[in-house]
Amino acid sequence: MLIASLLPLLERYSLGFDLVAGPDETVTLTVIPRNAEGKTHSLETGETRPISLTATASEIDDELARGAGGALGQLITTRKTLADQIAQQREATEAARAASAEAAKAKSAAAPSKQPSPATPAPNALPAEATSDEPASLW
């Protein structure tokens, strides 16, 4: 039951497990998602957050037996959906960056270079009749 319940996570991640016996015959099962071998994308913080279940062994078995309809199955489905959304958002962002870079490259190539004309004086230049030893007149 455990492995069948975790198959959706195994498609995307490598998983680590931790089992700890607690008081009153409780058990804590912790599933730790890791980057799968051969996967090139880096995982988001939310994707690598461990999933912990604390209950009696029979309660955990019952919850895992529910499969996709149980709490663990729903959590796995939600995480998978969110991970897919993150991947789609990354792809869209990269596509937008590439399109923006291409547009900027095309715009700079198409724009004529603006050379100041010799008849137009520089914005802060002195009038032609002013000499360097006398202040420029406003009239």
Side-chain angles (χ1 to χ4, degrees), residues 20 99 118 125:
V20 178

Side-chain angles (χ1 to χ4, degrees), residues 6-134:
L6 295 174
L7 278 176
L9 279 178
L10 285 171
E11 292 172 4
R12 187 170 181 90
Y13 311 104
S14 173
L15 300 175
F17 296 96
D18 189 26
L19 280 171
V20 178
D24 302 325
E25 298 185 15
T26 60
V27 176
T28 299
L29 168 65
T30 304
V31 180
I32 306 157
R34 297 184 189 122
N35 204 6
E37 225 175 278
K39 298 288 183 176
T40 58
H41 76 281
S42 61
L43 299 178
E44 297 291 325
T45 305
E47 291 181 272
T48 59
R49 178 169 284 145
I51 301 168
S52 291
L53 296 171
T54 302
T56 65
S58 62
E59 289 172 334
I60 291 176
D61 287 342
D62 291 343
E63 187 60 39
L64 293 176
R66 293 182 187 170
L72 182 61
Q74 291 175 1
L75 180 61
I76 290 169
T77 301
T78 301
R79 280 196 176 186
K80 186 175 185 312
T81 302
L82 290 173
D84 291 344
Q85 289 175 357
I86 289 169
Q88 289 173 351
Q89 191 63 37
R90 278 188 188 136
E91 290 172 8
T93 300
E94 289 302 317
R97 275 193 193 132
S100 176
E102 287 296 320
K105 199 182 296 184
K107 185 177 180 181
S108 66
S113 60
K114 294 183 178 180
Q115 297 286 335
S117 64
T120 307
N124 293 327
L126 294 174
E129 62 273 357
T131 61
S132 62
D133 56 343
E134 65 181 60

